[in-house]
């Protein structure tokens, strides 16, 4: 048995995009992504919008059928045929607490639905008890159960979404920008909820976010994506303190730091231009159009993830400190 | 002493809705000097945007300025006619929004919109306006500017649209630029580009900026002075260093505790308990009282007055008053010994 809860190997997700009446072109949203997550661990996934973070999360759960690659959960390969066996183990929490909950359902309906689907209770009373327990776990209470989702604040709604994900006792949750829509003070409440649940229940997270301060706070390891590929993966502290991929270096230097002294003294590594379209990926290393270290080789060959230190991997031909 | 460029005096703005009067801005006063960057922070619904819209006089129904003055170079713009306001907007004060599509018209080309804005506010002729449009796009760092002039907003990336909006807002060299969450929708690397651009343009053109954001990182990066808003009022104001290193209102302290730090090891975040107040039903005393760990009896009945902490810093929290009394009492006791 492997030490990993989840192993993703060379995962690809290509969406066919119509370019004419009879022609189409693959949009390579995810193009060869590999990583592992241990039980009870949080892997943060960061990168600019459109780089494929959500697609990775959804493809792992087979909400999109993978174009190719392997997803191995607890040593077993997940396929479209057997995915239903894993639905109880793997859950997802979405970004938008406003649109991901049905406003006409009560909190008890929302949290109870997965219990109904997976027939996880014997009597009505057991169902109600379980719902109350779940609400307590996420810092809500049983009085909330009869109310409608639209009566709650953003942070409370996000916690309803988490309670629903927890209903089936998952061991792994994809958290797709779960705090991005929330005010900072509310964000802190929800982040603490995620951390408490991990400690209590040993759940592993794939934590997707574009706020690097949040990701650094919650993750043990961080993977950085650029245009459908992982360009760097390492321990969270290592990625922040010693980024080795040129893209990660720029990304980290661009984080707005809530500290005037740091802001005054810090050096930015500016990135020119915009991310290329994933329909028109540059040859070789996809980052080369914006990279200050690009050489001829970068246009010809795509660098693979290579270990450069313990648990620290980057995809770059010319790494610089 | 020079008169401040902008003086907001006891501004009140309300929305009359079914459930009552939403006091979105509830008696705020501040000054903005020429060439300064003023930051406004506060949680969602605290009145940041309504403050901006009040200054621009672009409040939507049923929003109404119910009291106070907004003096620009000493003239009260609250009394301005519609015609005077059209003149004032764009030429004196411009605004950029979080979503550039709210100010860019999807059916006209970028060039068309830039030219119209320039023609409306300056006495340039058509040809000069065209030249200025191109110059502005170059200034804000849009690549291939000639090509962009002929394109429509939807053909540009988010970062590029935000640049175009900045170009439009600055085309007539306003004295004040109000930026309402200008980078919230952008990725960090693009955000860094846009903030850098705003800073360099600010230095080049000498305009003042009001920077509205909930991102304390952006504030720390950009601002000379900071206003912290809570429930439609200013609870604390001061220089960036004072606000970040010497916060003196319990809400500001809570806000600073609740954000993750890059340098810190793993320490648990300390959230602010409770939820925002109902603006139609404001409590009698301090609006933060229901969420404040240090709430005292007086906080529930009396609105805290604004106290000078030092020359660069004011806060409206009873704790500061208490501290003054405690210190005086301690001194007295020391004397009597
Ligand atoms: N058109 C409107 N009708 C009724 N109330 C409104 C309207 N616009 C704003 N308000 C209320 O005014 C208050 C202040 O809103 P404002 O938009 O200024 O908040 P903000 O500080 O800009 O928040 P955010 O960070 O979410 O942008 C809120 O309580 C809001 O609900
Ligand atoms: N269902 C889909 N069909 C076609 N293209 C898609 C689909 N979902 C995502 N994409 C494209 O895939 C790329 C990655 O998207 P996404 O995973 O949502 O990025 P992120 O979550 O990192 O912002 C984008 O170019 C996006 O437009
Ligand atoms: S492989 Fe080349 S282009 Fe890509 S990041 Fe490294 S140096 Fe830059
Ligand atoms: S005035 Fe009182 S309730 Fe308000 S922030 Fe200060 S201590 Fe807290
Ligand atoms: Mg996404
Ligand atoms: Mg706003």
């Amino acid at each position: 048995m492997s030490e990993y809860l989840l192993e993703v190997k060379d995962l690809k997700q290509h969406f066919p995009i119509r370019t004419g009446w009879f022609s189409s072109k693959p949009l390579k949203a995810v193009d060869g992504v590999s990583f592992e997550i241990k039980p009870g661990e949080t892997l943060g996934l960061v990168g600019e919008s459109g780089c494929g973070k959500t697609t990775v999360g959804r493809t792992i759960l087979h909400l999109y059928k993978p174009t190719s690659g392997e997803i191995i959960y607890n040593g077993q390969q997940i396929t479209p045929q057997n995915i239903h066996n894993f639905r109880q183990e793997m859950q997802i929490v979405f970004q938008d607490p406003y649109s991901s909950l049905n406003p006409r359902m009560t909190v008890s309906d929302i949290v109870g639905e997965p219990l109904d689907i997976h027939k996880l209770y014997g009597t009505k009373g057991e169902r109600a008890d379980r719902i109350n327990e779940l609400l307590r776990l996420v810092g809500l209470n049983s009085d909330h159960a009869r109310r409608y989702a639209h009566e709650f604040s953003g942070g409370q709604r996000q916690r309803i979404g988490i309670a629903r994900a927890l209903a089936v006792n998952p061991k792994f949750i994809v958290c797709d920008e779960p705090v991005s829509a929330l005010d900072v003070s509310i964000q802190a409440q929800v982040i603490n909820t995620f951390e408490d649940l991990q400690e209590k229940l040993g759940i592993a997270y794939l934590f997707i976010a574009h706020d690097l301060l949040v990701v650094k706070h919650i993750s043990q390891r961080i993977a950085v994506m650029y245009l459908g590929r992982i360009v760097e993966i390492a321990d969270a502290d290592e990625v922040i303190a010693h980024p080795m991929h040129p893209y990660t270096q720029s990304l980290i230097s661009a984080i707005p730091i809530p500290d005037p002294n740091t802001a005054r003294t810090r050096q930015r590594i500016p990135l020119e231009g915009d991310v290329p379209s994933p329909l028109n990926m540059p040859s070789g290393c996809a980052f080369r159009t914006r990279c200050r270290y690009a050489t001829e080789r970068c246009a010809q060959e795509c660098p693979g993830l290579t270990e450069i230190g313990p648990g620290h991997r980057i995809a770059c031909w010319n790494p610089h400190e | 002493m020079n008169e401040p460029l902008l003086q907001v005096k006891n501004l009140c703005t309300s929305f009359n809705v079914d459930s009552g009067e939403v006091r979105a801005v509830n008696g705020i006063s501040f000054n903005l000097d020429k060439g300064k960057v003023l930051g406004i922070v506060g949680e969602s619904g605290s009145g940041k945007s309504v403050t901006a819209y009040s200054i621009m006089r672009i409040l939507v129904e049923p929003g109404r300025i119910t009291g106070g003055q907004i003096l620009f170079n000493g003239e009260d713009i609250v009394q301005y006619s519609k015609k005077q306001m059209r003149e004032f907007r764009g030429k004196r004060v411009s605004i950029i929004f979080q979503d550039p599509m709210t100010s860019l018209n999807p059916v006209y080309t970028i060039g068309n919109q830039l030219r119209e804005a320039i023609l409306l506010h300056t006495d340039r002729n058509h040809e000069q306006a065209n030249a200025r449009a191109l110059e502005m796009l170059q200034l804000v760092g849009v690549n291939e500017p000639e090509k962009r002039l002929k394109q429509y907003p939807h053909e540009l990336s988010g970062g590029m649209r935000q640049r175009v909006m900045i170009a439009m807002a600055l085309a007539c060299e306003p004295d004040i630029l109000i930026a309402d969450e200008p980078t919230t929708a952008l990725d960090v690397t693009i955000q860094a580009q846009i903030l850098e651009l705003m800073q360099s343009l600010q230095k080049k053109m000498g305009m003042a900026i009001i920077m509205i954001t909930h991102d304390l990182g952006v504030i720390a990066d950009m601002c000379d002075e900071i206003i912290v808003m809570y429930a439609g009022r200013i609870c604390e104001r001061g220089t960036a260093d004072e606000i970040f290193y010497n916060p003196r209102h319990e809400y500001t302290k809570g806000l600073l505790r609740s954000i993750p730090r890059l340098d810190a090891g793993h320490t648990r975040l300390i959230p602010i308990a409770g939820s925002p107040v109902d603006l139609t039903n404001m409590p009698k005393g301090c609006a933060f009282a229901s969420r404040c760990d240090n709430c005292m009896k007086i906080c529930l009945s009396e609105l805290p007055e604004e106290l000078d902490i030092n020359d660069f810093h004011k806060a409206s929290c009873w704790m500061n008053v208490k501290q003054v009394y405690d210190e005086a009492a301690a001194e007295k006791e020391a004397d009597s010994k």
Side-chain angles (χ1 to χ4, degrees):
Chain A
M1 198 74 180
S2 118
E3 63 172 310
Y4 299 115
L5 179 69
L6 180 77
E7 288 170 85
V8 174
K9 292 185 182 166
D10 204 20
L11 188 67
K12 291 189 180 167
Q13 183 58 265
H14 295 179
F15 296 110
I17 299 291
R18 289 269 297 265
T19 50
W21 281 103
F22 301 107
S23 55
S24 75
K25 198 174 171 178
L27 185 152
K28 299 178 178 178
V30 175
D31 200 29
V33 156
S34 307
F35 59 83
E36 308 81 31
I37 300 181
K38 292 183 195 149
E41 181 188 49
T42 302
L43 175 69
L45 188 59
V46 299
E48 281 168 287
S49 81
C51 72
K53 306 180 295 293
T54 297
T55 306
V56 168
R58 294 180 151 248
T59 307
I60 291 175
L61 300 187
H62 271 64
L63 298 176
Y64 301 141
K65 185 176 170 292
T67 305
S68 67
E70 288 174 56
I71 300 156
I72 299 163
Y73 183 89
N74 247 337
Q76 267 182 289
Q77 183 159 348
I78 302 183
T79 63
Q81 289 72 42
N82 70 9
I83 177 66
H84 57 270
N85 298 333
F86 297 92
R87 287 263 181 254
Q88 233 179 288
E89 299 269 320
M90 306 164 89
Q91 287 291 309
I92 185 162
V93 174
F94 297 98
Q95 163 166 15
D96 187 356
Y98 298 91
S99 65
S100 62
L101 300 176
N102 182 340
R104 276 182 294 277
M105 283 167 80
T106 64
V107 169
S108 138
D109 295 337
I110 292 168
V111 177
E113 195 175 53
L115 298 175
D116 302 338
I117 292 171
H118 294 280
K119 306 195 177 54
L120 295 178
Y121 55 88
T123 65
K124 275 246 150 48
E126 276 171 36
R127 181 180 187 271
D129 286 347
R130 176 73 178 138
I131 289 170
N132 289 338
E133 183 191 345
L134 288 163
L135 291 179
R136 263 199 311 281
L137 265 176
V138 297
L140 298 170
N141 62 53
S142 44
D143 296 339
H144 292 130
R146 278 183 307 278
R147 290 165 57 183
Y148 290 89
H150 69 85
E151 297 172 37
F152 291 89
S153 70
Q156 288 173 319
R157 279 186 237 208
Q158 199 53 285
R159 283 188 257 178
I160 297 168
I162 300 170
R164 179 186 161 96
L166 291 176
V168 296
N169 282 322
K171 283 282 161 250
F172 172 66
I173 302 182
V174 173
C175 310
D176 190 1
E177 307 261 7
V179 297
S180 305
L182 306 174
D183 253 353
V184 275
S185 60
I186 311 295
Q187 215 174 56
Q189 298 175 8
V190 176
I191 291 171
N192 284 351
T193 304
F194 275 114
E195 291 187 332
D196 293 345
L197 291 171
Q198 183 163 66
E199 198 163 297
K200 256 185 236 158
L201 308 172
I203 303 170
Y205 300 127
L206 178 66
F207 198 94
I208 301 172
H210 61 264
D211 183 336
L212 277 135
L213 292 176
V214 168
V215 171
K216 149 82 168 43
H217 177 86
I218 202 164
S219 312
Q220 279 91 51
R221 285 188 306 133
I222 295 177
V224 182
M225 274 185 87
Y226 189 81
L227 272 182
R229 298 191 187 116
I230 290 178
V231 296
E232 180 154 12
I233 182 166
D235 281 347
D237 296 330
E238 180 74 5
V239 168
I240 300 293
H242 306 289
M244 288 298 289
H245 192 280
Y247 174 64
T248 318
Q249 290 171 346
S250 283
L251 194 65
I252 303 239
S253 82
I255 308 172
I257 304 282
D259 181 292
N261 280 335
T262 319
R264 275 190 286 265
T265 54
R266 181 157 90 108
Q267 282 297 313
R268 285 252 157 81
I269 307 167
L271 264 192
E272 304 290 318
D274 287 315
V275 189
S277 154
L279 272 172
N280 249 324
M281 293 250 264
S283 64
C285 172
F287 186 56
R288 72 178 163 85
T289 53
R290 304 167 83 192
C291 181
R292 55 199 181 124
Y293 301 128
T295 53
E296 216 162 290
R297 184 179 190 191
C298 308
Q300 279 143 17
E301 290 174 80
C302 177
L305 271 180
T306 319
E307 184 130 337
I308 54 154
H312 193 161
R313 281 173 285 168
I314 64 167
C316 175
W317 296 127
N318 312 307
H320 287 66
E321 269 289 348
Chain B
M1 201 41 210
N2 279 340
E3 191 179 37
L5 183 61
L6 181 76
Q7 288 173 274
V8 174
K9 291 189 169 172
N10 205 18
L11 176 70
C12 295
T13 303
S14 290
F15 294 85
N16 276 315
V17 296
D18 294 344
S19 50
E21 183 185 0
V22 178
R23 294 173 187 268
V25 171
N26 202 347
I28 69 168
S29 304
F30 65 88
N31 294 342
L32 176 66
D33 288 321
K34 200 168 171 297
K36 288 281 184 216
V37 183
L38 173 73
I40 305 183
V41 269
E43 67 187 354
S44 185
S46 59
K48 307 181 295 292
S49 297
V50 171
T51 302
Y53 300 169
S54 302
I55 296 170
M56 293 297 286
R57 301 262 315 273
I58 50 171
L59 291 162
V60 294
E61 282 293 318
R64 205 156 48 84
I65 295 177
T66 56
Q69 293 177 305
I70 301 169
L71 304 179
F72 180 83
N73 278 332
E75 267 188 57
D76 188 1
I77 67 158
V78 177
Q79 308 304 331
Y80 271 13
S81 67
K82 281 214 168 93
K83 183 161 172 290
Q84 282 174 302
M85 265 328 284
R86 267 199 301 275
E87 179 86 339
F88 176 78
R89 273 183 227 124
K91 195 164 178 182
R92 296 300 183 192
V93 184
S94 277
I95 187 165
I96 57 180
F97 301 97
Q98 173 171 348
D99 178 5
M101 289 313 266
T102 51
S103 22
L104 295 175
N105 191 328
V107 304
Y108 294 109
T109 61
I110 301 296
N112 206 320
Q113 299 186 53
L114 265 168
R115 199 169 47 233
E116 285 309 308
I118 295 164
L119 287 173
L120 183 68
H121 292 292
T122 64
D123 16 279
R124 289 182 171 87
N125 64 29
H126 210 81
E127 216 161 288
Q128 289 167 324
N130 269 332
R132 176 74 176 157
L134 188 65
E135 185 192 349
M136 285 312 295
L137 284 190
Q138 279 159 344
L139 186 68
V140 298
V142 167
N143 60 355
E144 305 178 79
E146 281 99 352
K147 178 175 151 198
R148 304 300 173 201
L149 285 173
K150 299 193 198 83
Q151 285 183 315
Y152 291 88
H154 68 91
E155 298 177 71
L156 308 182
S157 71
M160 222 183 306
R161 281 202 285 256
Q162 201 59 281
R163 283 170 192 268
V164 168
M165 192 161 69
I166 293 175
M168 222 150 99
L170 298 186
C172 309
E173 304 186 14
D175 302 303
I176 302 175
L177 174 69
I178 301 178
D180 189 1
E181 309 263 6
T183 57
T184 305
L186 304 175
D187 287 312
V188 282
T189 57
I190 311 292
Q191 165 169 283
Q193 291 174 9
I194 298 288
L195 295 180
E196 202 113 311
L197 170 71
M198 288 178 66
Q199 271 169 323
S200 81
L201 292 175
Q202 190 260 335
K203 288 207 183 81
K204 221 180 273 177
M205 305 170 74
M207 67 195 166
I209 295 180
I210 298 178
M211 182 81 189
I212 296 175
T213 171
H214 62 267
D215 188 330
L216 289 161
V218 171
I219 286 278
D221 228 4
M222 290 277 294
C223 302
D224 304 309
E225 296 231 5
I226 297 169
I227 283 175
V228 185
M229 284 189 75
Y230 189 80
R233 296 197 185 103
I234 293 175
C235 63
E236 182 161 14
R237 67 178 90 208
T239 58
D241 284 357
E242 283 290 324
I243 298 294
F244 277 90
Y245 303 131
N246 183 26
R248 295 294 287 271
H249 189 283
E250 296 304 305
Y251 170 64
T252 317
K253 293 183 195 172
L255 193 62
L256 288 167
R257 273 196 301 262
S258 67
I259 45 174
R261 304 280 173 163
L262 204 53
D263 45 4
H266 192 91
T267 47
R268 198 178 157 81
L269 300 177
I270 305 169
I272 298 176
S275 44
V277 290
D278 174 3
L279 295 178
T280 58
N281 191 9
M282 290 277 280
K284 220 165 121 207
C286 172
F288 190 61
S290 65
R291 306 171 76 180
C292 179
D293 290 336
N294 290 319
C295 178
M296 299 170 284
K297 211 165 161 195
I298 189 170
C299 306
L300 297 172
S301 56
E302 307 277 336
L303 204 61
E305 50 197 294
E306 190 166 68
L307 205 71
D308 282 340
I309 307 297
N310 57 43
D311 291 351
F312 316 103
H313 192 175
K314 293 176 200 291
S316 309
C317 169
W318 284 116
M319 288 290 280
N320 298 310
V321 180
K322 180 170 180 290
Q323 194 176 335
V324 171
Y325 278 99
D326 286 353
E327 277 166 17
E331 226 165 85
K332 215 167 169 186
E333 201 178 291
D335 284 349
S336 67
K337 266 184 193 157

